[in-house]
Amino acid sequence: MSITVELTRFKVSPDREEEMLAARPAMLADFRADRDGFLGARLIRLPGGEWLDVVDWRSPEDYAASRAKGANLPGIAAFFATIAELVSAEEGTVA
């Protein structure tokens, strides 16, 4: 079984970073409750005010279904609302 990995780089305004970090636990709880195939996530602070969200999925289909749902729950919407700019979004597979 291979794991599908979602790699999303984004920017958050410095004045909203604390809000974004505070919203993270509720977002992850909503993912666990509502997203089949969600295995876990890591949030990484990068230089230049960017962040990298590394999310593991059971399959590409689970990842696609999650993307289709978007910010459908309050915890997810609150986290997404703090994002000022999407830099990139990619999908890969653990080798």
Side-chain angles (χ1 to χ4, degrees):
M1 175 176 111
S2 64
I3 294 173
T4 297
V5 180
E6 171 187 357
L7 301 163
T8 305
R9 287 176 76 133
F10 59 91
K11 291 184 179 183
V12 174
S13 298
D15 62 325
R16 296 196 74 186
E17 285 184 356
E18 286 185 35
E19 179 185 356
M20 184 264 298
L21 292 171
R24 183 76 173 176
M27 185 207 81
L28 293 174
D30 282 353
F31 265 47
R32 283 186 205 97
D34 185 59
R35 309 291 167 112
D36 288 336
F38 172 72
L39 301 176
R42 294 164 309 286
L43 186 61
I44 301 161
R45 185 188 305 259
L46 301 170
E50 290 188 3
W51 296 82
L52 174 64
D53 205 355
V54 180
V55 183
D56 295 330
W57 298 97
R58 181 180 52 213
S59 70
E61 295 80 16
D62 291 328
Y63 172 51
S66 175
R67 286 182 58 110
K69 286 185 176 187
N72 65 324
L73 294 175
I76 299 167
F79 182 84
F80 285 5
T82 66
I83 296 173
E85 178 186 343
L86 178 64
V87 175
S88 66
E90 298 179 271
E91 177 181 342
T93 304
V94 174

